[in-house]
Amino acid sequence: MRVTSILVTLLAPIVILASSSPKIYPPIENVPSDNADAISIMAAKQGNLYVKLNYATNLRDKDWFGKSDPFVEMWVDKSYKQRTKGTKGLNPIFNQTFVFYVRPGQNKLYVRAVDRDTFSNDKIGDTTISLTNVMNTGHEGPRDYDLPKWFGLRSNGKLNMEMQFIADNS
């Protein structure tokens, strides 16, 4: 009896949400032209994004025994990730350049620092970088990107990177 009442209490909101009819919103009209132009230009840009990963600083140590051997993986589209060569230590120097072909609508670079282990890899931290500035100016950096922990209250380290975007005008 008690289990049934607990299940009913827990599942009632789900049943109500599932049975409610979907809301239909009217199309967006009267968008100011300056914002609409910026959105259409941003979505229409495509080309090569060159990302140079210079170094990392103060990476969080995820190994209980031995030295940390971090690598960094990055992607614009999850189906095509690129990864650095392995390094040692918590302040590794990478000096590696990666090239991504950015298609219309892709405007974020996803970056994850990982500690390589024998049986499983441990995530050190990750961040998402907006490509808006580099797509508009053609170049950004070098600058440090934080790998936040706990909603940005602490840090798992920093990655120093610079980016260049060359638009494909064909």
Side-chain angles (χ1 to χ4, degrees), residues 31-122:
V31 176
S33 62
D34 55 346
N35 290 343
D37 291 342
I39 291 169
S40 65
I41 289 171
M42 182 64 196
K45 283 196 173 184
Q46 64 183 22
N48 287 323
L49 175 68
Y50 296 87
V51 180
K52 182 177 181 194
L53 176 59
N54 298 315
Y55 56 86
T57 54
N58 301 321
L59 293 178
R60 176 135 342 254
D61 190 2
K62 293 290 186 171
D63 281 340
W64 289 46
F65 304 104
K67 291 191 174 189
S68 184
D69 41 1
F71 65 91
V72 175
E73 55 187 12
M74 53 184 80
W75 65 94
V76 174
D77 180 7
K78 203 163 192 161
S79 65
Y80 182 67
K81 290 183 179 180
Q82 294 191 48
R83 166 185 297 192
T84 63
K85 297 175 185 170
T87 59
K88 297 282 185 197
L90 301 175
N91 297 300
I93 297 173
F94 294 103
N95 283 330
Q96 296 178 33
T97 302
F98 303 91
V99 180
F100 298 94
Y101 189 76
V102 178
R103 291 180 175 77
Q106 295 177 327
N107 60 358
K108 292 182 178 155
L109 176 68
Y110 302 94
V111 182
R112 178 181 297 146
V114 181
D115 181 27
R116 185 183 319 271
D117 285 330
T118 305
F119 300 109
S120 68
N121 296 330
D122 299 321

Side-chain angles (χ1 to χ4, degrees), residues 80-168:
Y80 182 67
K81 290 183 179 180
Q82 294 191 48
R83 166 185 297 192
T84 63
K85 297 175 185 170
T87 59
K88 297 282 185 197
L90 301 175
N91 297 300
I93 297 173
F94 294 103
N95 283 330
Q96 296 178 33
T97 302
F98 303 91
V99 180
F100 298 94
Y101 189 76
V102 178
R103 291 180 175 77
Q106 295 177 327
N107 60 358
K108 292 182 178 155
L109 176 68
Y110 302 94
V111 182
R112 178 181 297 146
V114 181
D115 181 27
R116 185 183 319 271
D117 285 330
T118 305
F119 300 109
S120 68
N121 296 330
D122 299 321
K123 182 178 100 170
I124 296 172
D126 55 8
T127 190
T128 303
I129 300 168
S130 171
L131 299 176
T132 304
N133 188 44
V134 72
M135 290 174 94
N136 288 333
T137 63
H139 189 267
E140 184 173 311
R143 66 173 278 208
D144 289 337
Y145 294 93
D146 191 41
L147 300 171
K149 178 180 182 179
W150 293 344
F151 308 106
L153 300 176
R154 296 180 63 191
S155 176
N156 282 327
K158 295 184 184 300
L159 299 174
N160 183 277
M161 301 187 325
E162 53 191 294
M163 297 181 279
Q164 181 180 8
F165 180 75
I166 299 176
D168 183 8

